[in-house]
Amino acid sequence: MSNLFSVINHSIVSEKEALVHVSDLSIQRGYGIFDYFRTVNGKPVFLDAHIERFYNSAKSMHLNTSVNSQELKDLIYKLISANNLPYSGIRITLTGGYSTDGYTIASPNLFITQSAFNFNKNNFANGIKLISYEYARELPLIKTINYLQAIYLQPLIKSKNADDVIYYSNNEILECPRANIFIVTQENELLTPANGVLKGITRNTILSFNEFGGKEAAITLEQLYNAKEVFITSTTKNVLPVLAINDQLIGTGQPGIISSRIYEKLIQLKEV
Amino acid sequence: MSNLFSVINHSIVSEKEALVHVSDLSIQRGYGIFDYFRTVNGKPVFLDAHIERFYNSAKSMHLNTSVNSQELKDLIYKLISANNLPYSGIRITLTGGYSTDGYTIASPNLFITQSAFNFNKNNFANGIKLISYEYARELPLIKTINYLQAIYLQPLIKSKNADDVIYYSNNEILECPRANIFIVTQENELLTPANGVLKGITRNTILSFNEFGGKEAAITLEQLYNAKEVFITSTTKNVLPVLAINDQLIGTGQPGIISSRIYEKLIQLKEV
């Protein structure tokens, strides 16, 4: 453990004191939501979008926050100031609280933790390999803490020499456990799954780049395999080219030109 | 909080000291498994079956326990002795541990907690009402801590004046969030869903009662609605008659004769 600080409910505490009683509904029933954003040179990136999604997730899961968004921001800035970690990831977690019957939502517990994170610019050129797996998250529009399936699949992913998994359902691709996916078709259309996925902040930012004409669409597994380029997106990954899926090369098996242009624009915007 | 004790890993601690760091994978990613059994007159009920399932769940989820089953039993008996609660529920939870990257399984944390539980014999006559909902747990054979969907649905269940939900998938019924389901057909066949469900200890016990001829089968929603009797089973509920589903009465809308006989046999066996 480091010398960092964390937030528990309304208080800043040393990281080692960031403790939760086992009766919390996250431990009892996996019930909670979170969000995660980065700081670059000490400044939170896309903070408002993350906070908006955090409150939407909380509301959808019937979790009442005891702080409003301005109070939450104040806590975040206090933590940033206390920790003095210019390049970091900050996670805000809200759980079902200390439930007396182990099932009913109580007064939610809020935790904010920060850890060093340095973006590695070498990852883009290396790209990644995915395997496909049939699964759809139960509440896909909500950023819940449920990653059971994803972590359960880690040994399978490693055994296939892959880096991550792309979920699909009814022959349509959905998302990776911690990232959205985009394809560039042979007709140079930029597409990302429309439904049944978490609306990632990086995904939404890329869709807002007019010059690439990104669109939401239903995308089949066949379209994925036949794409000219495939890449995944997330707060920590920015844009990562997918060079192979289930041992089939995508395009030339090299990062594509559109992926590269979107990546450059994104890291310029985020000042990574 | 009470004056009870809990177990954390190898130690007996006061219940208020049963604390977990927020880096635990249960809080970060909802990753953990558990089991739950009762004590009746100070004696654990079906302990070996619960412990066997606990270790099976742990193994399936790639969680290494630091105690073997005899050491686990010793800890359980120490806790029972310390708490001196003759009628109780005991929960054994195993989580993904303190993960340094918030994603990779670490050395699992073990918690054992005990709380008073008195079986209410009035519940049988009152019966319950269910609603149906299309959902299948992602890893149904494993007793994971994921109850996101179940707790998320609580307001809907309440708004329908129901007590619980029966999940179904592809028109076949599966399970309630914390109970198995049985039907008695018009031909007096006793059936319970064969696949895609947790193999409950009470369910398995009822299937072992030769005189009722219980069988595992695929059961459609239509078979459920047209059943002569329906009941759910669990460690805490034993047998609870389902008198209505989605506002449709089951049979006469009263607890059935076969349900009643199975209930009597079960509580005699458990000495509840």
Side-chain angles (χ1 to χ4, degrees):
Chain A
M1 281 255 168
S2 61
N3 296 319
L4 291 175
F5 295 93
S6 302
V7 170
I8 295 227
N9 293 317
H10 305 90
S11 310
I12 300 234
V13 299
S14 73
E15 194 182 39
K16 68 176 185 297
E17 293 171 307
L19 300 171
V20 188
H21 191 260
V22 295
S23 63
D24 188 87
L25 220 49
S26 59
I27 301 167
Q28 296 285 312
R29 303 290 177 181
Y31 203 83
I33 61 104
F34 75 108
D35 224 294
Y36 179 94
F37 58 90
R38 288 181 52 210
T39 66
V40 172
N41 203 11
K43 288 184 197 134
V45 179
F46 302 146
L47 180 60
D48 286 343
H50 286 281
I51 284 190
E52 186 185 348
R53 187 172 63 180
F54 175 79
Y55 278 96
N56 285 338
S57 294
K59 192 178 172 195
S60 299
M61 296 302 281
H62 325 301
L63 295 172
N64 297 317
T65 45
S66 62
V67 294
N68 64 33
S69 62
Q70 188 53 54
E71 291 164 335
L72 180 59
K73 274 193 203 178
D74 289 347
L75 283 168
I76 289 166
Y77 281 111
K78 258 192 216 175
L79 187 68
I80 288 174
S81 168
N83 282 334
N84 193 27
L85 263 187
Y87 293 85
S88 78
I90 293 182
R91 180 180 155 124
I92 325 169
T93 305
L94 189 73
T95 69
Y98 298 137
S99 178
T100 50
D101 66 359
Y103 204 68
T104 307
I105 294 171
S107 178
N109 283 316
L110 173 74
F111 318 119
I112 314 177
T113 50
Q114 184 176 22
S115 52
F117 180 85
N118 285 287
F119 180 65
N120 185 343
K121 293 200 178 183
N122 295 326
N123 290 343
F124 185 89
N126 294 332
I128 58 166
K129 179 184 162 182
L130 301 180
I131 61 168
S132 63
Y133 194 85
E134 185 156 19
Y135 172 67
R137 289 194 302 124
E138 67 265 78
L139 299 162
L141 301 181
I142 307 171
K143 199 165 171 74
T144 71
I145 62 170
N146 177 20
Y147 288 73
L148 269 180
Q149 184 73 66
I151 295 173
Y152 173 82
L153 288 175
Q154 289 306 302
L156 177 67
I157 293 167
K158 281 186 180 57
S159 77
K160 303 281 186 189
N161 291 316
D163 302 285
D164 211 337
V165 56
I166 175 71
Y167 295 140
Y168 67 93
S169 179
N170 297 320
N171 204 42
E172 280 180 20
I173 62 167
L174 296 169
E175 58 192 348
C176 299
R178 296 183 291 177
N180 290 113
I181 195 161
F182 283 78
I183 70 166
V184 178
T185 67
Q186 297 295 335
E187 294 74 35
N188 292 319
E189 275 194 306
L190 178 67
L191 304 177
T192 191
N195 298 314
V197 302
L198 188 78
K199 302 297 169 83
I201 308 296
T202 307
R203 170 190 184 273
N204 295 348
T205 303
I206 292 170
L207 286 174
S208 77
F209 292 161
N210 284 327
E211 66 268 45
F212 299 103
K215 286 196 189 75
E216 297 179 312
I219 302 172
T220 65
L221 277 167
E222 289 68 33
Q223 283 179 284
L224 177 69
Y225 289 127
N226 295 324
K228 194 189 273 186
E229 302 179 28
V230 175
F231 59 89
I232 67 170
T233 65
S234 82
T235 290
T236 53
K237 296 173 182 79
N238 289 312
V239 170
L240 258 187
V242 175
L243 307 184
I245 299 170
N246 299 333
D247 292 325
Q248 183 177 323
L249 284 190
I250 298 300
T252 60
Q254 296 295 321
I257 197 86
I258 293 178
S259 308
S260 178
R261 283 175 53 211
I262 293 172
Y263 169 72
E264 292 296 340
K265 173 148 181 154
L266 191 66
I267 63 169
Q268 196 171 22
L269 183 70
K270 292 174 76 173
E271 298 174 7
V272 172
Chain B
M1 265 231 196
S2 62
N3 297 318
L4 291 175
F5 295 92
S6 302
V7 170
I8 295 227
N9 292 318
H10 303 89
S11 310
I12 301 236
V13 299
S14 74
E15 194 182 38
K16 66 175 187 298
E17 293 171 308
L19 300 170
V20 187
H21 192 261
V22 295
S23 64
D24 189 87
L25 219 50
S26 59
I27 301 167
Q28 297 285 313
R29 304 289 177 182
Y31 203 83
I33 60 104
F34 75 109
D35 223 292
Y36 179 94
F37 58 91
R38 287 180 53 210
T39 65
V40 172
N41 203 11
K43 288 184 197 132
V45 180
F46 301 146
L47 180 60
D48 286 343
H50 286 281
I51 285 189
E52 186 185 348
R53 188 174 61 182
F54 175 80
Y55 279 96
N56 285 338
S57 294
K59 192 179 171 195
S60 299
M61 297 302 281
H62 325 302
L63 296 172
N64 297 317
T65 45
S66 61
V67 293
N68 65 32
S69 62
Q70 188 53 54
E71 291 165 333
L72 180 59
K73 274 193 204 180
D74 290 347
L75 283 169
I76 289 166
Y77 281 110
K78 260 192 213 173
L79 186 68
I80 289 172
S81 169
N83 283 334
N84 194 26
L85 263 186
Y87 293 84
S88 77
I90 293 181
R91 181 180 155 124
I92 326 168
T93 305
L94 190 72
T95 68
Y98 298 138
S99 178
T100 49
D101 65 0
Y103 203 67
T104 307
I105 294 171
S107 178
N109 282 315
L110 173 73
F111 318 120
I112 313 177
T113 52
Q114 184 176 21
S115 52
F117 180 84
N118 284 287
F119 181 64
N120 185 344
K121 293 200 178 183
N122 295 325
N123 290 342
F124 184 89
N126 294 331
I128 58 165
K129 179 185 161 180
L130 301 180
I131 61 167
S132 63
Y133 194 85
E134 185 157 19
Y135 172 67
R137 290 194 301 123
E138 67 265 77
L139 298 163
L141 300 180
I142 307 170
K143 199 165 172 73
T144 72
I145 62 170
N146 177 20
Y147 288 73
L148 268 180
Q149 183 73 65
I151 296 174
Y152 174 81
L153 288 175
Q154 289 306 302
L156 176 67
I157 293 167
K158 281 185 181 58
S159 75
K160 303 282 186 188
N161 291 315
D163 302 287
D164 211 337
V165 57
I166 174 71
Y167 295 139
Y168 67 93
S169 179
N170 298 320
N171 204 44
E172 281 181 20
I173 62 168
L174 296 169
E175 59 191 348
C176 299
R178 296 183 292 177
N180 290 113
I181 195 162
F182 283 78
I183 71 167
V184 178
T185 67
Q186 296 295 335
E187 294 75 34
N188 292 318
E189 274 194 306
L190 177 67
L191 303 177
T192 190
N195 298 315
V197 302
L198 188 78
K199 302 295 169 78
I201 307 297
T202 307
R203 169 190 184 275
N204 295 349
T205 303
I206 293 171
L207 286 174
S208 77
F209 291 162
N210 284 325
E211 66 269 44
F212 298 104
K215 285 196 189 75
E216 297 180 311
I219 302 172
T220 65
L221 277 167
E222 289 68 33
Q223 283 179 284
L224 176 69
Y225 289 129
N226 295 326
K228 194 188 272 184
E229 302 179 28
V230 174
F231 59 90
I232 66 170
T233 64
S234 81
T235 291
T236 54
K237 297 173 182 80
N238 289 312
V239 170
L240 257 187
V242 176
L243 307 183
I245 298 169
N246 298 333
D247 292 325
Q248 184 177 323
L249 285 190
I250 299 300
T252 61
Q254 296 295 321
I257 196 86
I258 293 177
S259 308
S260 178
R261 284 174 54 209
I262 293 172
Y263 169 71
E264 292 297 340
K265 172 145 183 155
L266 192 66
I267 63 170
Q268 197 171 20
L269 183 70
K270 292 173 76 173
E271 299 174 6
V272 174

